[in-house]
Amino acid sequence: MRRSTPFGSARDLSNGSTVIPEKEYIVPVMYLETMDVAGRFSKKRTVKVNDIVELLLEGEIVIGTAPFGNGKSMLVREVFEKISKKVLSTENKTSMALNKTPITINLREHWGQDYSEEILERHARKIGVKDKEGVNIAWRAGMAHMLIDGFDEIAGQIIARTSDVKFMRNARSKSLAGTRSLLSVINPKCGILIVGRDHYFDDNDEMLHALGLLDKKINLLYIEEFTEEQAKQYLNKKGVKGDIPEWLPKKPLLLGYLAHNNMLDDAVKIDASNGFGYVWDTFIDLIVRREASHEHGVIDAPTLRKIMERLATAVRSSVQGNGPILSKDLSEAYTLETDLIPDEGVTMQLQRIPGLTQRDQDKGARSFVDMDMMGALQGSRIARFAVGEIYDLDSSSWKNGISQAAIETCIQIVKDRSAGDIDVARSVLESCCKRVSSNFSMQNQSQLLADLFSSLIECSIQMNLDAISCNIGIKGAVFESLSLDEVSLVNINFSDCVINKLAIDISRHKDIVFRDCIFSEVSGVTLAEFEESLIFIDCQVYKCDEIGSNAAIMRSSLPARIKALGTVIRKLYMQAGVGRKRNAFFRGSDSRDIRNDIEVVIKYLISQGYAREFNEVIYPNREYAHRMKEIIENLSTSRDAIVQEILQA
């Protein structure tokens, strides 16, 4: 029965079916570390699906995290299949561990359910089990293993901003009340697998508290992108051969979508040396032109792109930030762009708008296939506003800040509209920030102002400018990140803002104030410096990281070669984007010796296969992402061979 119902977002892209041939599954790179009840961690190790299955059969708890589109639901399905086969095998009937049935829960189906009985009864009804109470009894009696997909998919419907630094944590915790109830009675012989999106929680402590798993031994599983070889193997199984662009994220969902729609050849043609924003702007243009040229296409390419941009912007008002996008949303976006009611031909084309895929088990609903693509479309629409092509951009209901993909695409498009002159592009962004800030009729557009200002900061950094002076105030906005360790702000005030990540060199900033702001993480200062600084007034912060910014690394007493290593790893592996232009690694490094050391580090990482270079762009090998994260988190004490070899290089 369970096999015929959806496993989260896992489905066959060729026909939309939730039944996927097992031969198509490629196990991504996965790392696992064990945290004991005292909070001590084991050394990370690579694992396969069978290793996870064995842990579950032994009654272990495994929590898996991964970025969007990396195959979390496929992993749950694969684990379900392997345990089910063991249960059904006649050879295993005498083993108590192998007689336990796997129960697989899609949390998206259980919004608003605070008790385990509610969840299990609805699940039984969904998969067609008549004895609904029997499912509940089986779990409580220790006769089943529990597989839970999507702890990030059940957020509370309304998250109100308050002055409490813990308001987002409280909202996440409240939304998972049903999951905690489900896990409140754990039989030590029953395994538990829970998966969700990475970075959903602030840290492991919050995650364990929200799931009700404090003071328990936990196995933390990290699901990475495909390696280059795995990506080729995955595509070969779909009958696709040839090169994969260096810039393209090696995520199963995105690769599968592009392969099914024959778009990989278009992606290969793009010159990635022009930057992340150029890549996505060009790729989106290619796919809309392709769709518009379809023999049944009735919407021209520019209009199709504007519809996609409008849809990508509209989902910023949703709780999840990625939809759902319903059929009525498609029709409405078309009407708003053209002042026309969609006829039959238009309606058919709207149903196959590129970049969208069926959304989990929500019938008829869609979401964007990749977060970078969605971000690029959002940045495109902000750019159109900045250059005066559109005026009806209302950000009053947006619930999140702009992503790095959106920022870089916004800059790229504004630069294109400025005859390729980045200095002119910066002036356009600055003027637009001042216009929005001073316009009384746009006082409720704080999020739009924040997005424009984020783009202005990044543009200034790309130009190696030392300072930005705007004389503006931003109130009540959300910033996913602010990088103020390489540029100074003058006459800028932030109030009542939520800033997830701030990297700052406070020695650079004399005329900037954050008032009543909430920070998840501030890099470059200690907690004492944060509390004593006149920059931060009545602000709250969850975590400070003294050496968590590039400027802080350069100010530290670490050996010069290790400073260079830390800077390169942070820019290549820790910051958003799929690659970095070679000259970007040298920003903020004035010393000739440090610049030489950075060059040594880059050459070493490329020679050892930790990174690749193509057209003056350096790309990280994501297979080593967790290793690099461990190095950067323990930069002064790391014993990793990379650190030792860099010192000797």
Side-chain angles (χ1 to χ4, degrees):
M1 291 183 181
R2 184 62 183 86
R3 287 188 178 91
S4 62
T5 57
F7 286 82
S9 58
R11 60 185 65 250
D12 188 337
L13 291 173
S14 65
N15 55 23
S17 171
T18 58
V19 180
I20 306 169
E22 282 190 56
K23 65 179 183 178
E24 288 197 6
Y25 182 68
I26 301 292
V27 181
V29 176
M30 296 188 292
Y31 296 93
L32 187 131
E33 62 180 349
T34 301
M35 185 178 72
D36 64 21
V37 293
R40 294 179 298 241
F41 288 89
S42 67
K43 185 176 180 180
K44 283 191 181 80
R45 63 189 188 276
T46 57
V47 292
K48 303 294 185 184
V49 176
N50 285 336
D51 299 318
I52 299 168
V53 169
E54 290 305 315
L55 285 171
L56 298 176
L57 296 179
E58 293 168 7
E60 297 273 344
I61 301 172
V62 179
I63 302 177
T65 57
F68 178 82
N70 264 33
K72 298 181 293 293
S73 296
M74 284 293 289
L75 172 65
V76 171
R77 192 206 70 154
E78 192 72 4
V79 169
F80 171 87
E81 292 290 350
K82 288 185 178 295
I83 294 180
S84 297
K85 287 179 180 178
K86 288 180 179 290
V87 171
L88 296 173
S89 172
T90 56
E91 298 176 3
N92 296 321
K93 290 299 182 183
T94 58
S95 170
M96 292 299 294
L98 296 175
N99 279 333
K100 294 180 174 64
T101 300
I103 298 174
T104 307
I105 303 290
N106 293 328
L107 280 182
R108 170 175 283 279
E109 298 172 348
H110 302 280
W111 281 48
Q113 294 187 311
D114 292 342
Y115 300 100
S116 61
E117 293 83 357
E118 294 177 293
I119 292 176
L120 292 172
E121 181 179 339
R122 180 182 290 182
H123 173 69
R125 186 166 59 249
K126 182 81 174 180
I127 65 174
V129 174
K130 294 182 179 179
D131 184 9
K132 301 177 184 63
E133 182 62 25
V135 177
N136 185 37
I137 292 172
W139 170 240
R140 292 190 172 277
M143 299 167 61
H145 302 292
M146 184 64 68
L147 313 180
I148 301 175
D149 186 3
F151 59 64
D152 59 307
E153 296 280 3
I154 196 167
Q157 304 234 19
I158 298 177
I159 299 179
R161 187 172 301 155
T162 75
S163 59
D164 181 3
V165 71
K166 297 180 180 179
F167 80 93
M168 295 180 73
R169 290 177 156 232
N170 292 338
R172 289 190 289 259
S173 178
K174 184 178 181 180
S175 71
L176 288 165
T179 306
R180 285 195 301 279
S181 174
L182 196 62
L183 302 178
S184 61
V185 180
I186 301 176
N187 189 300
K189 295 182 180 179
C190 296
I192 298 171
L193 171 64
I194 312 170
V195 301
R197 200 175 304 181
D198 62 349
H199 305 307
Y200 178 71
F201 297 106
D202 286 341
D203 55 27
N204 288 335
D205 286 343
E206 185 204 348
M207 178 174 70
L208 297 179
H209 184 273
L211 296 173
L213 296 175
L214 288 171
D215 303 321
K216 297 186 184 299
K217 177 186 174 185
I218 303 292
N219 296 281
L220 299 173
L221 179 70
Y222 308 97
I223 307 165
E224 299 293 322
E225 293 182 9
F226 284 149
T227 63
E228 188 79 16
E229 189 58 38
Q230 287 175 324
K232 289 181 178 179
Q233 185 182 359
Y234 175 75
L235 292 173
N236 284 342
K237 284 178 176 287
K238 294 181 175 296
V240 178
K241 301 185 184 298
D243 295 330
I244 303 173
E246 289 281 2
W247 62 267
L248 192 68
K250 309 302 186 290
K251 297 179 179 179
L253 180 60
L254 178 60
L255 289 176
Y257 175 84
L258 296 179
H260 172 62
N261 291 282
N262 299 313
M263 294 179 181
L264 281 170
D265 287 343
D266 291 336
V268 171
K269 300 172 185 175
I270 300 173
D271 182 3
S273 65
N274 289 314
F276 190 64
Y278 173 85
V279 161
W280 277 107
D281 179 42
T282 304
F283 187 51
I284 291 168
D285 267 348
L286 285 171
I287 62 177
V288 295
R289 285 204 299 267
R290 181 191 181 113
E291 173 59 29
S293 66
H294 191 279
E295 62 177 328
H296 299 298
V298 292
I299 306 175
D300 61 79
T303 301
L304 195 57
R305 172 158 182 162
K306 290 175 184 177
I307 292 170
M308 292 172 65
E309 292 172 1
R310 187 178 284 275
L311 291 170
T313 302
V315 298
R316 294 185 67 179
S317 300
S318 68
V319 173
Q320 297 296 331
N322 188 28
I325 297 170
L326 306 177
S327 294
K328 68 179 183 63
D329 300 319
L330 300 175
S331 299
E332 184 178 291
Y334 173 80
T335 298
L336 289 170
E337 285 297 335
T338 64
D339 290 327
L340 299 172
I341 302 298
D343 59 22
E344 184 178 355
V346 168
T347 299
M348 290 297 294
Q349 189 168 7
L350 290 173
Q351 297 302 311
R352 60 171 191 269
I353 278 188
L356 299 181
T357 185
Q358 190 168 336
R359 182 180 171 90
D360 300 352
Q361 56 275 359
D362 296 345
K363 187 175 181 180
R366 294 168 173 77
S367 61
F368 281 92
V369 72
D370 183 73
M371 302 301 277
D372 284 341
M373 178 185 287
M374 182 180 74
L377 290 163
Q378 292 168 350
S380 297
R381 191 155 176 81
I382 292 168
R384 291 186 193 280
F385 177 85
V387 299
E389 293 181 7
I390 60 172
Y391 303 95
D392 61 336
L393 195 53
D394 181 7
S395 69
S396 58
S397 63
W398 295 354
K399 292 180 170 60
N400 47 58
I402 196 172
S403 69
Q404 188 67 22
I407 289 170
E408 296 199 29
T409 307
C410 176
I411 294 170
Q412 178 64 42
I413 293 174
V414 174
K415 187 173 74 170
D416 285 347
R417 301 297 195 276
S418 306
D421 190 328
I422 193 168
D423 189 45
V424 174
R426 183 193 176 282
S427 296
V428 169
L429 289 168
E430 183 176 333
S431 297
C432 193
C433 285
K434 292 177 178 178
R435 173 165 54 89
V436 173
S437 177
S438 61
N439 191 331
F440 180 79
S441 66
M442 302 190 73
Q443 285 188 344
N444 65 339
Q445 302 300 316
S446 294
Q447 193 58 57
L448 175 59
L449 175 58
D451 295 346
L452 288 163
F453 189 66
S454 294
S455 300
L456 175 61
I457 290 174
E458 177 62 27
C459 189
S460 300
I461 291 173
Q462 290 182 13
M463 296 173 65
N464 294 318
L465 299 182
D466 290 329
I468 300 172
S469 179
C470 258
N471 193 25
I472 64 172
I474 301 176
K475 181 177 182 179
V478 178
F479 292 86
E480 294 304 318
S481 66
L482 271 179
S483 298
L484 305 181
D485 54 340
E486 297 181 27
V487 65
S488 303
L489 301 186
V490 181
N491 295 325
I492 314 290
N493 295 305
F494 301 85
S495 60
D496 296 313
C497 291
V498 175
I499 302 168
N500 290 328
K501 291 187 178 181
L502 170 67
I504 190 168
D505 179 358
I506 58 175
S507 66
R508 298 181 65 115
H509 300 277
K510 304 300 182 185
D511 194 8
I512 175 178
V513 173
F514 293 92
R515 187 183 299 275
D516 296 316
C517 294
I518 296 171
F519 301 89
S520 293
E521 180 179 345
V522 177
S523 301
V525 298
T526 64
L527 180 58
E529 288 173 330
F530 179 90
E531 292 173 341
E532 294 170 3
S533 174
L534 297 178
I535 290 176
F536 304 104
I537 300 174
D538 296 328
C539 294
Q540 300 180 61
V541 62
Y542 177 72
K543 176 184 177 183
C544 286
D545 181 3
E546 181 181 8
I547 202 167
S549 69
N550 294 323
I553 290 172
M554 288 302 177
R555 290 198 313 268
S556 72
S557 59
L558 293 169
R561 191 64 60 81
I562 300 304
K563 290 181 182 181
L565 176 64
T567 297
V568 172
I569 290 178
R570 273 189 57 78
K571 290 186 176 182
L572 190 59
Y573 280 93
M574 304 295 120
Q575 296 180 353
V578 293
R580 284 284 181 274
K581 289 186 177 181
R582 177 178 276 272
N583 60 12
F585 292 96
F586 300 95
R587 292 190 196 123
S589 306
D590 298 328
S591 164
R592 179 178 295 179
D593 290 340
I594 287 291
R595 294 174 70 86
N596 289 338
D597 285 326
I598 288 174
E599 185 64 43
V600 169
V601 169
I602 291 173
K603 288 181 178 179
Y604 167 82
L605 293 176
I606 293 172
S607 69
Q608 299 300 311
Y610 301 120
R612 297 182 294 275
E613 183 173 15
F614 179 74
N615 284 353
E616 289 293 306
V617 178
I618 314 296
Y619 297 91
N621 186 337
R622 290 293 176 189
E623 182 179 353
Y624 300 100
H626 263 87
R627 184 176 177 184
M628 297 300 174
K629 185 173 183 289
E630 285 193 331
I631 291 174
I632 204 71
E633 289 177 348
N634 303 279
L635 197 56
S636 61
T637 59
S638 176
R639 295 173 179 256
D640 192 286
I642 291 175
V643 176
Q644 305 307 315
E645 290 171 9
I646 282 292
L647 286 171
Q648 298 168 11

